[in-house]
Amino acid sequence: QVQLVESGGGLVQPGGSLRLSCAASGSTFSEYNMAWYRQAPGKQRDLVASISNRGRTSYADSVKGRFTISRDNAENTVYLQMNNLKPEDTAVYYCNRYGLAYQYWGQGTQVTVSS
């Protein structure tokens, strides 16, 4: 059974930073493509960043230069470092493992950016 467990969300002031973590089950984590999505109230779930099993990264235009996705294959964990946070970054953030014919999701972690 695939499990993705997110942590690290919370309340932060504009301009602040948070680091999200996603711990994944499975013995072949290094083979997984991973991503972070987010969903604000009343909006669709959008891709924030992804990292392939080869370490290739990509970002949504709205977070380029502020967010960094990384992975630690030894710890079966993917991270999302978020800097210079803005109120519009407020959303539930979801960890995602994807392949050609499947997707798995975590339960989500709330990030709120507010003064």
Side-chain angles (χ1 to χ4, degrees):
Q1 184 176 355
V2 176
Q3 285 191 319
L4 301 172
V5 180
E6 301 101 332
S7 60
L11 173 65
V12 63
Q13 292 186 342
S17 298
L18 282 175
R19 188 176 80 157
L20 305 183
S21 300
C22 172
S25 63
S27 59
T28 56
F29 178 78
S30 62
E31 298 179 8
Y32 305 160
N33 299 310
M34 303 295 297
W36 287 96
Y37 283 72
R38 67 185 180 188
Q39 187 168 21
K43 296 189 176 182
Q44 67 181 21
R45 190 174 297 188
D46 291 327
L47 177 65
V48 175
S50 65
I51 184 165
S52 74
N53 55 8
R54 297 186 177 186
R56 180 174 295 179
T57 60
S58 64
Y59 298 90
D61 287 343
S62 60
V63 306
K64 281 181 181 177
R66 301 189 298 124
F67 291 11
T68 302
I69 190 171
S70 62
R71 63 192 298 159
D72 184 336
N73 291 336
E75 296 293 329
N76 281 20
T77 301
V78 62
Y79 302 98
L80 185 67
Q81 178 67 44
M82 305 185 293
N83 298 329
N84 190 21
L85 282 159
K86 303 176 181 181
E88 51 264 42
D89 295 318
T90 295
V92 177
Y93 283 71
Y94 295 91
C95 182
N96 171 269
R97 174 189 153 191
Y98 65 95
L100 291 178
Y102 67 86
Q103 288 197 82
Y104 299 108
W105 297 94
Q107 81 287 353
T109 186
Q110 176 71 46
V111 172
T112 302
V113 185
S114 175
S115 55

